[in-house]
Amino acid sequence: MAACALNQRLICFSNSYSRTVTNPCSTCLPPKANTQTAESCVSLGLSLFSKGRVKDALVQFETALDLDPTPREAQAALYNKACCHAYLREGKKAADCLRTALAEYNLKFGTILNDPDLASFRALPEFKELQEEARLGGEDIGYGFRRDLKLISEVQAPFRGVRRFFYIAFSAAAGISLLFTIPRLFRAIKGGGDAPDLWETAGNAAINLGGIIVLVALFLWDNKKEEEQLAQITRDETLSRLPLRLSTNRVVELVQLRDTVRPVILAGEKEIVSLAMQKAERFRTELLRRGVLLVPVIWGESRVPEVEKKGFGARQKAAVSLPSIGEDFEKRTQSVIAKSKLKAEIRFRAEVVSPAEWERWIRDQQKSEGVTPGEDVYIILRLDGRVRRSGKGMPDWLQIVNELPPMEAFLSKLER
């Protein structure tokens, strides 16, 4: 649980305790009977969560809140309780816990923004509401990243500031020279014994004026390039925070998969994307060697509510099992192949969480590349999470196999 990584700040208590908890996730033991404290319940809850026993962990965090916790213990219990609710897809309950921790126990909103265990919660409308409430309350809700964009831009274009200095300095020099040249130009036009040469003076004025125009145009062009660069950095940051659901049902953000996979985003109508996925099956082994992870995004999927039947009308899923020995060999072989593909599916594709956020990012990317928003496109990412290339329609999988080096290759190491 990523909340475990917060133990130094959330769970380590003051020196008034007889011991210091340095790693609650690994050292905590179940409390003895009748000796429960808020601290022990939080520690036990973290241990249970790390073992996948989310509902049991939730009980422990709730118990901690009933045992007269200190403010720091209450903050830890509420925060980790919210992580449990997020894992169980209970967005409203998670938001309520975080709201209380923010308002009453000094939880920093940046913690919510960066914890991978809350990735699924950040994709929900409840997070947007909480973010707006925090913004109105004066909290840093993540827009601080935009204050660092110019620093990142300077790193990528280190001489932009120097160029701008010369643009301004030379423009100022040309402007001052032009101020002195204009009166001389008027005198040359009027003529007289001591009047300067008309063509020479007009030439000097034209040179100064032309220099100012060119330098101002270069300055504006540099500004435009910086804005485009800042927009690209913003898109890269937004892309890194988009959530995915893995086959284990765990929700992660794309940034957590860096250096591990090369996501290939397939965006389009359902039939087109499904056909592209089927064609990818022919190259599954080679694509897996290259770390390819398929990420299908269906246009309009976010507007189609999922209807799940519950109660007596629910249709039970048939259990998947191998045929018995008495059945024919071909059928049994097909079933074995199906099960093998199912295991490989764990590494071959992922499901998008919050399709609307994914669609918004893809459409912004299409606009930046001059593609009509809503067209069928594919986007191949590098191991470091940046866009490698993109194109209209669906990809040529053979070309991708030939283009991408295997994960163990030297070129792949350079990509990280």
Side-chain angles (χ1 to χ4, degrees), residues 92-397:
K92 187 177 185 305
K93 292 181 179 180
D96 290 340
C97 292
L98 294 172
R99 187 176 287 109
T100 303
L102 287 166
E104 300 179 17
Y105 298 105
N106 200 32
L107 176 67
K108 299 302 181 184
F109 202 87
T111 304
I112 302 172
L113 287 172
N114 296 313
D115 190 346
D117 281 321
L118 292 176
S120 59
F121 173 71
R122 288 191 290 270
L124 299 177
E126 287 83 359
F127 170 73
K128 305 299 181 186
E129 295 174 5
L130 187 66
Q131 191 177 39
E132 181 62 18
E133 292 174 19
R135 184 188 68 79
L136 294 175
E139 281 272 353
D140 180 0
I141 61 172
Y143 297 145
F145 173 79
R146 294 196 61 83
R147 295 195 294 268
D148 300 330
L149 289 181
K150 288 187 178 293
L151 295 177
I152 300 173
S153 176
E154 280 297 324
V155 171
Q156 295 182 3
F159 300 110
R160 178 176 286 127
V162 176
R163 291 199 303 270
R164 285 178 172 174
F165 170 78
F166 283 115
Y167 294 156
I168 294 172
F170 290 153
S171 295
I176 293 172
S177 178
L178 184 62
L179 288 176
F180 286 102
T181 304
I182 289 175
R184 290 172 55 83
L185 181 61
F186 286 146
R187 287 170 52 199
I189 293 174
K190 289 181 180 180
D194 59 344
D197 182 73
L198 176 61
W199 293 109
E200 180 183 354
T201 306
N204 291 336
I207 290 172
N208 289 326
L209 183 61
I212 292 173
I213 293 173
V214 170
L215 290 169
V216 169
L218 287 173
F219 185 86
L220 294 176
W221 175 83
D222 221 340
N223 273 353
K224 181 181 178 181
K225 287 297 180 183
E226 183 187 30
E227 289 301 318
E228 292 175 356
Q229 189 179 42
L230 293 177
Q232 183 60 53
I233 296 171
T234 303
R235 284 195 300 273
D236 289 344
E237 172 66 9
T238 302
L239 173 64
S240 71
R241 304 312 294 266
L242 291 176
L244 288 170
R245 179 172 287 109
L246 303 180
S247 60
T248 57
N249 207 33
R250 181 174 178 80
V251 176
V252 298
E253 291 176 340
L254 212 53
V255 67
Q256 295 171 253
L257 301 179
R258 283 181 181 173
D259 300 334
T260 305
V261 296
R262 292 184 174 102
V264 177
I265 302 169
L266 307 172
E269 299 297 329
K270 186 174 183 178
E271 295 78 10
I272 301 297
V273 173
S274 298
L275 181 60
M277 300 281 287
Q278 291 173 14
K279 291 181 178 179
E281 291 290 337
R282 295 173 52 195
F283 304 93
R284 175 191 287 263
T285 302
E286 290 302 319
L287 290 173
L288 286 173
R289 282 192 62 215
R290 288 152 177 78
V292 169
L293 177 71
L294 302 183
V295 182
V297 180
I298 310 300
W299 292 136
E301 192 176 59
S302 58
R303 296 187 294 272
V304 180
E306 294 184 2
V307 180
E308 181 181 353
K309 292 185 178 181
K310 298 182 179 180
F312 296 105
R315 197 176 187 181
Q316 298 297 324
K317 292 184 179 179
V320 179
S321 60
L322 291 176
S324 66
I325 297 296
E327 295 179 347
D328 64 333
F329 176 80
E330 183 179 356
K331 185 175 180 182
R332 192 166 75 234
T333 302
Q334 290 176 352
S335 181
V336 171
I337 293 173
K339 288 180 71 69
S340 299
K341 285 186 176 181
L342 187 60
K343 291 180 180 178
E345 194 77 19
I346 293 174
R347 297 180 297 138
F348 196 51
R349 62 173 295 174
E351 175 189 351
V352 297
V353 178
S354 185
E357 297 293 331
W358 280 87
E359 282 193 39
R360 188 176 300 115
W361 180 85
I362 293 172
R363 291 177 189 276
D364 288 342
Q365 186 71 11
Q366 287 177 319
K367 289 178 183 177
S368 71
E369 297 184 2
V371 178
T372 304
E375 285 193 38
D376 298 337
V377 294
Y378 66 91
I379 303 171
I380 305 174
L381 304 185
R382 295 159 44 98
L383 286 172
D384 60 9
R386 291 183 296 166
V387 174
R388 181 187 186 94
R389 70 176 178 87
S390 58
K392 295 182 181 180
M394 292 295 109
D396 182 339
W397 296 112

Side-chain angles (χ1 to χ4, degrees), residues 30-42:
K32 296 179 181 179
N34 301 323
T35 60
Q36 278 189 325
T37 63
E39 176 188 358
S40 66
C41 287
V42 170

Side-chain angles (χ1 to χ4, degrees), residues 38-106:
E39 176 188 358
S40 66
C41 287
V42 170
S43 297
L44 178 57
L46 289 169
S47 178
L48 292 170
F49 191 98
S50 67
K51 297 174 182 177
R53 297 168 57 184
V54 180
K55 292 184 179 180
D56 293 336
L58 185 59
V59 172
Q60 292 299 320
F61 296 135
E62 290 172 344
T63 303
L65 293 172
D66 294 333
L67 294 176
D68 192 24
T70 64
R72 190 172 291 275
E73 292 168 346
Q75 182 197 83
L78 284 166
Y79 181 82
N80 291 295
K81 184 171 180 282
C83 289
C84 290
H85 287 307
Y87 187 88
L88 298 171
R89 305 186 192 181
E90 298 171 346
K92 187 177 185 305
K93 292 181 179 180
D96 290 340
C97 292
L98 294 172
R99 187 176 287 109
T100 303
L102 287 166
E104 300 179 17
Y105 298 105
N106 200 32

